Amino acid sequence: MDIDVVVVGLGCTGLPMVVAAARAGLKVVGVDGSEARVAEILAGETGFGRATVSEHEFSALLAGPLRLRTGPVPQSHVHLLCVPSRDLPNAVDMVTDSLRDGDLVIVQSTCPPGMMDDVVIPRFTRRTDARIHLVYSPVRVDPGRKQDAVVPRVIAGATPDCLSAGMRFLRELGEQPVPVGSIRTAELAKVFENTFRLVNISLANELAALCRESDVDIAELLDAVSTKPYGFVRHDPGPGAGGDCVPVCAEFFASAARRRGIPARTVEAAIAVNDTMPTNVVRHLSLRGQRVIVAGVAYKPGVADVRRSAGVRILEELRAETEAGYHDPHVPNLRLSDGTELRSRPIEPGVADLVLVVTKHPGMDVGGFEAAVVDCSTGIPSFVEVRDA
């Protein structure tokens, strides 16, 4: 078939784009380098964006305009690159052989400022003679949370014609593109959005520690200050922000500042606070000799992503001093940094002395666990009253 769109990378940003293009009636091929990833999607597993579409609709799309595959990238009028920034050079190499004059390439990866100008554009120039329309437009997604409204997205083009082509395509998908004057502006906009979140999450964690020592209820305090209708955006404390976006963007910000000789003390302090949160959680507990289950090892509720997860780090620290496993319905298997392979365990009577709730997935019945329960999901360990069986 004549293909309208190819999406390279089928993670939490690529898979929703595949679905959006297919919903718009376009003929779409989604390509991922991992055969296991493609198999997971086809099997209906919900991680990394699969939950954005119902099983019935996804089956209908596969029977119609949508194909998923590994292997070579086919020719198409539009290519969307939806891979982590570290994999972006490889994604460029994957698509260059299929490019023709007039094709549109939209890079959706979250890039450190300057990566498009310094790495991506020169790589395209070296590897293809095709006169393409190159666009940078990172998506704004919140994995695990349903987005009912269209979220505007920043977009920039290598030339004005590139920008126009990119905006036409995104509007065809029902998107709301917000144009800016340069690709570097778009890169830094994405980086700052997520750095803003990390700084404020870290501030909320420091506030939670102060509340604990001041005998103040952090939830009540945040509810009170959230009534201010201006100048305040609520961020809740937690065991440490994870994932492959928020903490990574803060590091991109700090690194870009260092390269230019500019202080970024606020951002660097926020990174340090976030990095120490899992250790601080464990430090508040006396667990030696106890059998412990960590409930929830994904980096946030409702997802299967364990990248930079506080739950995984807490589990690894616990295993250095006591017997510890984990329970997470979204993460059936887990490989630790030392290569240890673990499987999710059901929380049944007699399997653990203590359950540490780190990531509270929707529907997780914390009060129904058959063990002593400590809720660490706010970053401040607190015992939970467990119901009698």
Side-chain angles (χ1 to χ4, degrees), residues 31-48:
V31 180
D32 197 282
S34 168
E35 292 183 3
R37 173 62 185 145
V38 173
E40 287 172 1
I41 298 169
L42 295 176
E45 298 191 15
T46 58
F48 293 94

Side-chain angles (χ1 to χ4, degrees), residues 45-69:
E45 298 191 15
T46 58
F48 293 94
R50 181 65 167 84
T52 58
V53 59
S54 70
E55 185 67 38
H56 175 74
E57 183 185 7
F58 198 71
S59 297
L61 293 175
L62 287 172
L66 174 60
R67 299 289 183 273
L68 304 182
R69 55 181 278 189

Side-chain angles (χ1 to χ4, degrees), residues 132-355:
I132 62 172
H133 292 111
L134 184 60
V135 168
Y136 181 67
S137 183
V139 294
R140 290 166 169 156
V141 296
D142 192 358
R145 179 181 298 178
K146 185 178 180 181
Q147 295 179 172
D148 295 319
V150 175
V151 179
R153 57 191 289 187
V154 172
I155 182 172
T159 67
D161 286 344
C162 294
L163 177 60
S164 296
M167 291 186 64
R168 283 196 302 271
F169 173 75
L170 292 182
R171 285 171 176 158
E172 186 178 356
L173 298 188
E175 299 268 8
Q176 295 179 8
V178 178
V180 294
S182 72
I183 285 177
R184 197 161 296 209
T185 299
E187 288 173 325
L188 193 53
K190 175 67 174 182
V191 166
F192 180 69
E193 290 169 8
N194 284 313
T195 301
F196 176 88
R197 291 178 63 189
L198 186 82
V199 168
N200 283 280
I201 291 169
S202 294
L203 178 60
N205 280 325
E206 292 193 329
L207 173 66
L210 177 59
C211 286
R212 181 182 63 245
E213 298 303 322
S214 304
D215 196 24
V216 171
D217 185 327
I218 177 66
E220 181 183 25
L221 185 151
L222 287 173
D223 287 343
V225 298
S226 294
T227 61
K228 184 178 180 181
Y230 57 89
F232 181 79
V233 178
R234 178 167 179 158
H235 289 76
D236 291 293
D244 204 37
C245 207
V246 171
V248 173
C249 281
E251 291 168 2
F252 286 167
F253 185 110
S255 177
R258 284 193 298 271
R259 288 197 304 272
R260 291 160 178 79
I262 299 170
R265 298 186 186 93
T266 301
V267 176
E268 290 175 345
I271 293 171
V273 170
N274 191 64
D275 287 346
T276 59
M277 282 306 300
T279 299
N280 288 343
V281 170
V282 175
R283 182 171 56 83
H284 283 98
L285 301 167
S286 178
L287 302 172
R288 189 173 297 278
Q290 298 194 65
R291 297 169 301 161
V292 181
I293 294 289
V294 173
V297 294
Y299 86 89
K300 66 178 294 187
V303 304
D305 194 345
V306 298
R307 292 175 293 182
R308 294 178 176 244
S309 165
V312 174
R313 285 189 53 195
I314 288 171
L315 176 61
E316 291 180 330
E317 293 204 19
L318 290 174
R319 288 175 62 85
E321 63 177 78
T322 193
E323 180 184 343
Y326 83 96
H327 167 76
D328 194 316
H330 293 268
V331 186
N333 302 287
L334 179 65
R335 178 189 289 269
L336 302 182
S337 59
D338 65 0
T340 301
E341 301 273 0
L342 298 178
R343 292 184 61 84
S344 175
R345 302 171 59 184
I347 301 178
E348 298 172 339
V351 302
D353 303 308
L354 187 66
V355 176

Side-chain angles (χ1 to χ4, degrees), residues 2-8 17-18 21 26-31 73-82 95 98-108 124 132-135 153 162 165-170 172-173:
D2 188 24
I3 301 168
D4 298 312
V5 183
V6 167
V7 178
V8 179
M17 291 306 300
V18 164
L26 301 176
K27 297 174 182 177
V28 189
V29 173
V31 180
V73 173
Q75 286 188 333
S76 172
H77 304 297
V78 180
H79 289 82
L80 305 181
L81 306 189
C82 306
V95 303
S98 64
L99 293 176
R100 300 159 295 183
D101 288 349
D103 284 352
L104 172 64
V105 178
I106 301 180
V107 177
Q108 296 193 168
F124 271 118
I132 62 172
H133 292 111
L134 184 60
V135 168
R153 57 191 289 187
C162 294
M167 291 186 64
R168 283 196 302 271
F169 173 75
L170 292 182
E172 186 178 356
L173 298 188

